[in-house]
Amino acid sequence: FSSVTSVLNMSVFKDQFVLEDLIEEFKKKSTALSFGPLQSNGHISVQGSFPAIKLLRDFLLLKAKSLSKKDKKEESKSHQRPKRRLQQHRLTTETSNFVHDADGQKQVVVLDTDIYHYMKNFFSTTFLVNDDVVISDITDGDITTVYIENAGSRSAAGQLLRVKEKIENQSVELHKALRKERIYYKEHTRDEKRRYKWACESLKPDYPYVLIIPYDTHIDVIGNSSEVFEFTKEV
């Protein structure tokens, strides 16, 4: 959970912005992230904490979406678009409103999958909403995308934002506190997996805030540092 490295393909923005200026704005806004050199093909590596990476990712998705809409509007007018310098107030405005529909009927939160599982198990009230709000999720490996949508009244836009902020704040707190240990099976037989599962279940009452996630080749143990260490050692 301590660090994430990603390679961004910035070439999609080259016809709209001076890439060097765009990246400089990223650096000013995302001081917790470390950026590598911009490659000739538009690729750049970025490293930092998962929450910081996901904020940058959300911003880029919104900017790409806005460019797509703008292209459709301008296509009939002109096929030539001059490069322009990125204005700071545009970046500030878009960052504060990243990833939601223009009518405010949808919010999106990108979470580390392990943190999402832990929240669902031990902080389920974070996802507790009334009938006007619907929460769904899509998990893709290490990342789970949570969709918060309006199910009825158009006046629920403010409520969607509050739910989104509650999930994000809980995620940041857990990101600071949680650790994960991975217990690999010595063998891959059914009996071996059954023994490991029995060992975990028998210890679970002594570690009520440790999350156990079994897989085909290993078991992930998630919780605070000391409990995860002790639990794994006893298993």
Side-chain angles (χ1 to χ4, degrees):
F1 291 6
S2 60
S3 181
V4 177
T5 301
S6 179
V7 177
L8 307 178
N9 181 3
M10 303 297 295
S11 61
V12 66
F13 300 112
K14 66 182 181 180
D15 292 333
Q16 295 288 335
F17 303 112
V18 177
L19 294 186
E20 290 80 3
D21 289 356
L22 187 58
I23 292 167
E24 283 303 313
E25 288 296 335
F26 290 166
K27 291 178 180 179
K28 292 177 183 178
K29 295 291 180 182
S30 305
T31 56
L33 296 176
S34 175
F35 291 82
L38 178 65
Q39 306 295 323
S40 58
N41 59 0
H43 289 192
I44 185 171
S45 64
V46 57
Q47 184 176 33
S49 69
F50 188 85
I53 289 282
K54 75 185 180 79
L55 288 177
L56 177 60
R57 175 183 180 273
D58 288 348
F59 169 71
L60 287 171
L61 287 174
L62 178 67
K63 185 164 285 294
K65 184 178 179 180
S66 67
L67 287 181
S68 176
K69 290 180 178 179
K70 183 176 176 62
D71 285 350
K72 290 178 182 178
K73 290 179 179 179
E74 294 185 357
E75 189 171 359
S76 59
K77 297 180 181 178
S78 172
H79 293 285
Q80 300 297 322
R81 301 179 185 85
K83 291 185 179 181
R84 62 178 180 273
R85 293 275 164 177
L86 183 67
Q87 298 298 318
Q88 187 170 351
H89 72 273
R90 279 176 50 84
L91 184 64
T92 304
T93 302
E94 292 184 10
T95 302
S96 64
N97 294 286
F98 59 80
V99 189
H100 63 76
D101 286 355
D103 57 3
Q105 302 306 300
K106 182 178 182 180
Q107 296 284 347
V108 180
V109 184
V110 183
L111 300 173
D112 178 283
T113 296
D114 291 323
I115 289 180
Y116 175 69
H117 287 319
Y118 197 90
M119 289 174 67
K120 289 283 284 186
N121 277 270
F122 298 112
F123 296 89
S124 57
T125 56
T126 305
F127 301 95
L128 191 62
V129 294
N130 60 30
D131 294 339
D132 290 333
V133 178
V134 175
I135 295 181
S136 60
D137 62 81
I138 297 176
T139 296
D140 182 10
D142 293 336
I143 289 181
T144 294
T145 305
V146 179
Y147 298 91
I148 309 155
E149 300 179 72
N150 185 2
S153 172
R154 293 185 61 85
S155 63
Q159 185 179 356
L160 299 185
L161 184 59
R162 287 192 293 272
V163 173
K164 173 179 181 288
E165 290 175 347
K166 183 169 67 171
I167 293 173
E168 286 183 329
N169 292 339
Q170 185 65 69
S171 169
V172 170
E173 291 302 313
L174 291 176
H175 178 87
K176 298 174 183 176
L178 294 181
R179 297 292 181 270
K180 176 169 74 173
E181 286 287 343
R182 181 162 288 178
I183 304 174
Y184 288 96
Y185 302 129
K186 293 181 180 179
E187 306 168 15
H188 294 290
T189 63
R190 184 178 300 176
D191 187 55
E192 177 79 0
K193 294 177 183 179
R194 189 182 298 116
R195 287 202 303 273
Y196 273 95
K197 183 178 180 180
W198 175 86
C200 289
E201 292 299 328
S202 65
L203 290 169
K204 190 71 173 72
D206 296 329
Y207 299 90
Y209 296 106
V210 167
L211 178 63
I212 305 161
I213 307 179
Y215 294 95
D216 287 339
T217 59
H218 63 274
I219 297 172
D220 281 345
V221 182
I222 303 168
N224 72 52
S225 183
S226 60
E227 286 194 339
V228 164
F229 175 78
E230 291 297 331
F231 182 91
T232 304
K233 185 172 67 173
E234 290 196 46
V235 171

